[in-house]
Coordinates of all heavy atoms in Angstrom, one line a residue:
D1 N -7.2 31.7 -5.8 CA -6.4 32.7 -5.2 C -5.4 32.1 -4.2 O -4.6 32.8 -3.6 CB -7.2 33.8 -4.5 CG -8.1 33.3 -3.4 OD1 -8.4 32.1 -3.4 OD2 -8.6 34.1 -2.6
Q2 N -5.4 30.8 -3.9 CA -4.5 30.2 -3.0 C -3.4 29.5 -3.8 O -3.7 28.8 -4.9 CB -5.2 29.2 -2.1 CG -6.1 29.8 -1.1 CD -6.8 28.8 -0.2 OE1 -6.6 27.6 -0.4 NE2 -7.6 29.2 0.7
P3 N -2.2 29.5 -3.4 CA -1.1 28.8 -4.1 C -1.3 27.3 -4.0 O -1.8 26.8 -3.0 CB 0.2 29.3 -3.4 CG -0.2 29.7 -2.1 CD -1.7 30.2 -2.2
A4 N -0.9 26.6 -5.0 CA -0.9 25.1 -4.9 C 0.1 24.6 -3.9 O 1.2 25.2 -3.8 CB -0.6 24.6 -6.3
Q5 N -0.2 23.6 -3.2 CA 0.7 23.0 -2.2 C 1.7 22.1 -3.0 O 1.3 21.3 -3.8 CB 0.0 22.3 -1.2 CG -1.0 23.1 -0.4 CD -0.2 24.2 0.5 OE1 0.9 23.9 1.0 NE2 -0.7 25.4 0.6
A6 N 2.9 22.1 -2.5 CA 3.9 21.2 -3.1 C 3.7 19.8 -2.6 O 3.3 19.6 -1.4 CB 5.3 21.6 -2.8
I7 N 3.9 18.8 -3.5 CA 3.8 17.4 -3.0 C 4.8 17.2 -1.9 O 6.0 17.6 -2.1 CB 4.0 16.4 -4.2 CG1 2.9 16.6 -5.2 CG2 4.1 15.0 -3.7 CD1 3.1 15.8 -6.4
G8 N 4.5 16.6 -0.9 CA 5.4 16.3 0.3 C 5.2 17.4 1.4 O 5.7 17.2 2.4
S9 N 4.6 18.5 1.0 CA 4.4 19.5 2.1 C 3.3 19.0 3.0 O 2.4 18.2 2.6 CB 4.1 20.8 1.5 OG 2.8 20.8 1.0
P10 N 3.2 19.4 4.3 CA 2.2 18.9 5.2 C 0.8 19.3 4.8 O -0.1 18.5 5.1 CB 2.5 19.7 6.5 CG 3.9 20.2 6.4 CD 4.2 20.3 4.9
A11 N 0.6 20.3 4.0 CA -0.8 20.7 3.6 C -1.2 20.0 2.4 O -2.4 20.0 2.0 CB -0.8 22.2 3.4
Y12 N -0.3 19.3 1.7 CA -0.7 18.6 0.5 C -1.6 17.3 0.8 O -1.2 16.6 1.6 CB 0.5 18.1 -0.3 CG 0.2 17.3 -1.5 CD1 -0.2 17.9 -2.7 CD2 0.3 15.9 -1.5 CE1 -0.6 17.1 -3.8 CE2 0.0 15.2 -2.6 CZ -0.4 15.8 -3.8 OH -0.8 15.0 -4.9
T13 N -2.6 17.2 0.1 CA -3.4 16.0 0.2 C -3.6 15.4 -1.2 O -3.9 16.2 -2.1 CB -4.8 16.2 0.8 OG1 -5.5 17.2 0.1 CG2 -4.7 16.6 2.3
R14 N -3.4 14.2 -1.4 CA -3.5 13.5 -2.7 C -4.9 13.5 -3.1 O -5.8 13.2 -2.3 CB -3.0 12.1 -2.6 CG -3.1 11.3 -3.9 CD -2.5 9.9 -3.8 NE -1.1 10.1 -3.6 CZ -0.3 9.1 -3.4 NH1 -0.7 7.9 -3.2 NH2 1.0 9.3 -3.3
P15 N -5.2 13.8 -4.4 CA -6.6 13.7 -4.9 C -7.1 12.3 -4.7 O -6.4 11.3 -4.9 CB -6.5 14.1 -6.3 CG -5.1 14.6 -6.5 CD -4.3 14.2 -5.4
R16 N -8.3 12.2 -4.2 CA -8.9 10.8 -4.0 C -9.4 10.3 -5.3 O -10.0 10.9 -6.1 CB -10.0 10.9 -3.0 CG -9.5 11.5 -1.7 CD -10.5 11.1 -0.6 NE -10.1 11.8 0.6 CZ -9.5 11.1 1.6 NH1 -9.1 9.9 1.5 NH2 -9.1 11.8 2.7
R17 N -9.0 9.0 -5.5 CA -9.5 8.2 -6.6 C -10.8 7.5 -6.2 O -11.0 7.1 -5.1 CB -8.5 7.2 -7.1 CG -7.3 7.8 -7.8 CD -6.5 6.7 -8.4 NE -6.1 5.7 -7.4 CZ -5.6 4.6 -7.6 NH1 -5.2 4.3 -8.9 NH2 -5.3 3.7 -6.7
R18 N -11.7 7.4 -7.1 CA -12.9 6.7 -6.9 C -12.7 5.2 -7.1 O -12.1 4.8 -8.1 CB -14.0 7.1 -7.9 CG -15.3 6.5 -7.7 CD -16.3 7.1 -8.6 NE -17.5 7.4 -7.8 CZ -18.5 8.0 -8.2 NH1 -18.6 8.5 -9.4 NH2 -19.5 8.2 -7.4
L19 N -13.0 4.4 -6.1 CA -12.7 3.0 -6.2 C -13.9 2.3 -6.8 O -15.1 2.6 -6.6 CB -12.5 2.4 -4.7 CG -11.4 2.9 -4.0 CD1 -11.4 2.3 -2.6 CD2 -10.1 2.6 -4.7
N20 N -13.6 1.3 -7.6 CA -14.6 0.5 -8.2 C -15.0 -0.6 -7.3 O -14.2 -1.5 -7.1 CB -14.2 0.0 -9.6 CG -15.2 -0.9 -10.3 OD1 -16.4 -1.0 -9.8 ND2 -14.9 -1.5 -11.4
L21 N -16.1 -0.5 -6.6 CA -16.5 -1.5 -5.6 C -17.4 -2.5 -6.1 O -18.0 -3.3 -5.4 CB -17.1 -0.8 -4.4 CG -16.2 0.2 -3.7 CD1 -17.0 0.9 -2.5 CD2 -15.0 -0.5 -3.1
A22 N -17.5 -2.6 -7.4 CA -18.3 -3.7 -8.0 C -17.7 -5.0 -7.7 O -16.5 -5.2 -7.7 CB -18.4 -3.5 -9.6
P23 N -18.5 -6.0 -7.4 CA -17.9 -7.3 -7.1 C -17.1 -7.9 -8.2 O -17.4 -7.7 -9.4 CB -19.1 -8.2 -6.8 CG -20.3 -7.5 -7.2 CD -19.9 -6.1 -7.4
M24 N -16.0 -8.6 -7.8 CA -15.2 -9.2 -8.8 C -15.9 -10.3 -9.6 O -16.8 -11.0 -8.9 CB -14.0 -9.9 -8.2 CG -12.7 -9.2 -8.2 SD -11.4 -10.2 -7.5 CE -11.7 -10.1 -5.8
T25 N -15.7 -10.5 -10.8 CA -16.3 -11.5 -11.5 C -15.4 -12.7 -11.6 O -14.3 -12.6 -12.2 CB -16.7 -11.1 -13.0 OG1 -17.5 -9.9 -12.9 CG2 -17.4 -12.2 -13.7
L26 N -15.7 -13.8 -10.9 CA -14.9 -14.9 -10.9 C -15.7 -16.1 -11.5 O -16.8 -16.3 -11.2 CB -14.5 -15.3 -9.5 CG -13.7 -14.3 -8.6 CD1 -13.5 -14.8 -7.2 CD2 -12.4 -14.1 -9.3
K27 N -15.0 -16.7 -12.4 CA -15.6 -18.0 -13.0 C -14.9 -19.1 -12.3 O -13.7 -19.4 -12.5 CB -15.3 -18.0 -14.5 CG -15.8 -19.3 -15.2 CD -15.4 -19.3 -16.6 CE -15.7 -20.7 -17.2 NZ -14.9 -21.0 -18.3
I28 N -15.6 -19.8 -11.5 CA -15.0 -20.9 -10.7 C -15.6 -22.2 -11.2 O -16.8 -22.4 -11.3 CB -15.3 -20.7 -9.2 CG1 -14.8 -19.4 -8.7 CG2 -14.7 -21.9 -8.4 CD1 -15.1 -19.0 -7.3
T29 N -14.7 -23.2 -11.5 CA -15.1 -24.5 -11.9 C -14.4 -25.5 -11.0 O -13.2 -25.4 -10.8 CB -14.7 -24.7 -13.4 OG1 -15.2 -23.7 -14.2 CG2 -15.3 -26.1 -13.9
V30 N -15.3 -26.4 -10.5 CA -14.8 -27.4 -9.6 C -15.0 -28.8 -10.3 O -16.1 -29.2 -10.6 CB -15.5 -27.5 -8.3 CG1 -15.0 -28.6 -7.4 CG2 -15.4 -26.1 -7.5
Y31 N -13.9 -29.4 -10.6 CA -13.9 -30.8 -11.2 C -13.8 -31.7 -10.0 O -13.0 -31.7 -9.2 CB -12.7 -31.0 -12.1 CG -12.8 -30.2 -13.4 CD1 -12.3 -28.9 -13.5 CD2 -13.4 -30.7 -14.6 CE1 -12.4 -28.1 -14.6 CE2 -13.5 -30.0 -15.7 CZ -13.0 -28.7 -15.7 OH -13.1 -28.0 -16.9
S32 N -14.8 -32.6 -9.9 CA -15.0 -33.5 -8.8 C -15.3 -34.9 -9.2 O -15.5 -35.2 -10.4 CB -16.0 -32.9 -7.8 OG -17.3 -33.0 -8.4
K33 N -15.4 -35.8 -8.2 CA -15.9 -37.1 -8.4 C -16.8 -37.5 -7.2 O -16.8 -36.8 -6.2 CB -14.8 -38.1 -8.5 CG -13.9 -38.3 -7.2 CD -12.8 -39.3 -7.4 CE -12.1 -39.5 -6.1 NZ -11.1 -40.5 -6.3
S34 N -17.6 -38.5 -7.4 CA -18.5 -38.9 -6.3 C -17.7 -39.5 -5.1 O -16.6 -40.0 -5.3 CB -19.5 -40.0 -6.8 OG -20.3 -39.5 -7.8
A35 N -18.3 -39.4 -3.9 CA -17.7 -40.0 -2.7 C -16.3 -39.4 -2.5 O -15.3 -40.2 -2.2 CB -17.7 -41.5 -2.8
C36 N -16.1 -38.1 -2.6 CA -14.9 -37.4 -2.4 C -15.0 -36.4 -1.3 O -15.6 -35.3 -1.5 CB -14.5 -36.8 -3.8 SG -13.0 -35.7 -3.7
P37 N -14.5 -36.7 -0.1 CA -14.6 -35.7 1.0 C -13.9 -34.4 0.7 O -14.5 -33.3 1.1 CB -13.9 -36.4 2.2 CG -13.8 -37.8 1.8 CD -13.8 -37.9 0.3
Q38 N -12.8 -34.4 0.0 CA -12.1 -33.1 -0.3 C -13.0 -32.3 -1.3 O -13.0 -31.0 -1.2 CB -10.7 -33.3 -0.9 CG -9.8 -33.9 0.0 CD -9.8 -35.4 0.1 OE1 -10.6 -36.0 -0.6 NE2 -9.1 -36.0 1.0
C39 N -13.6 -33.0 -2.2 CA -14.5 -32.3 -3.2 C -15.7 -31.6 -2.4 O -16.0 -30.4 -2.7 CB -15.1 -33.3 -4.2 SG -13.8 -34.1 -5.2
E40 N -16.3 -32.3 -1.5 CA -17.4 -31.8 -0.7 C -16.9 -30.6 0.1 O -17.6 -29.6 0.3 CB -18.0 -32.8 0.2 CG -18.7 -34.0 -0.6 CD -19.8 -33.4 -1.5 OE1 -20.6 -32.5 -1.1 OE2 -19.8 -33.9 -2.6
S41 N -15.7 -30.7 0.7 CA -15.2 -29.6 1.5 C -14.9 -28.3 0.6 O -15.2 -27.2 1.0 CB -13.8 -30.0 2.1 OG -14.1 -31.0 3.1
A42 N -14.4 -28.5 -0.6 CA -14.2 -27.4 -1.5 C -15.5 -26.7 -1.9 O -15.6 -25.5 -1.8 CB -13.5 -27.8 -2.8
K43 N -16.5 -27.5 -2.2 CA -17.8 -27.0 -2.5 C -18.4 -26.3 -1.3 O -19.1 -25.2 -1.5 CB -18.7 -28.1 -3.1 CG -18.3 -28.6 -4.4 CD -19.2 -29.6 -5.0 CE -19.2 -30.9 -4.2 NZ -20.1 -31.9 -4.8
S44 N -18.3 -26.8 -0.1 CA -18.8 -26.2 1.1 C -18.2 -24.9 1.4 O -18.8 -23.9 1.8 CB -18.7 -27.1 2.3 OG -19.4 -28.3 2.2
L45 N -16.9 -24.8 1.1 CA -16.1 -23.6 1.3 C -16.7 -22.5 0.4 O -16.9 -21.3 0.8 CB -14.7 -23.8 1.1 CG -13.7 -22.6 1.1 CD1 -13.8 -21.9 2.5 CD2 -12.3 -22.9 0.7
L46 N -16.9 -22.8 -0.9 CA -17.4 -21.8 -1.9 C -18.9 -21.4 -1.5 O -19.2 -20.2 -1.6 CB -17.4 -22.4 -3.3 CG -16.0 -22.7 -3.8 CD1 -16.0 -23.5 -5.1 CD2 -15.3 -21.3 -4.1

């Protein structure tokens, strides 16, 4: 029984979308070599 609000009017609220909060699937591959400080830093960061 209420009229629809026009987009842009103060009473209009956008319908809320449901966010997919599932964690991103990342396939991370680190190519490294022995005795490599930068390689160790990259792995430590991950």
Side-chain angles (χ1 to χ4, degrees):
D1 59 342
Q2 291 182 358
Q5 298 294 323
I7 296 175
S9 72
Y12 174 78
T13 57
R14 177 177 292 175
R16 299 200 186 260
R17 288 189 306 171
R18 184 174 227 174
L19 297 176
N20 181 5
L21 298 178
M24 262 188 281
T25 303
L26 297 176
K27 177 187 168 201
I28 303 174
T29 306
V30 178
Y31 291 87
S32 66
K33 65 179 183 177
S34 298
C36 171
Q38 293 85 2
C39 300
E40 293 305 317
S41 295
K43 294 184 291 184
S44 293
L45 176 61
L46 293 168

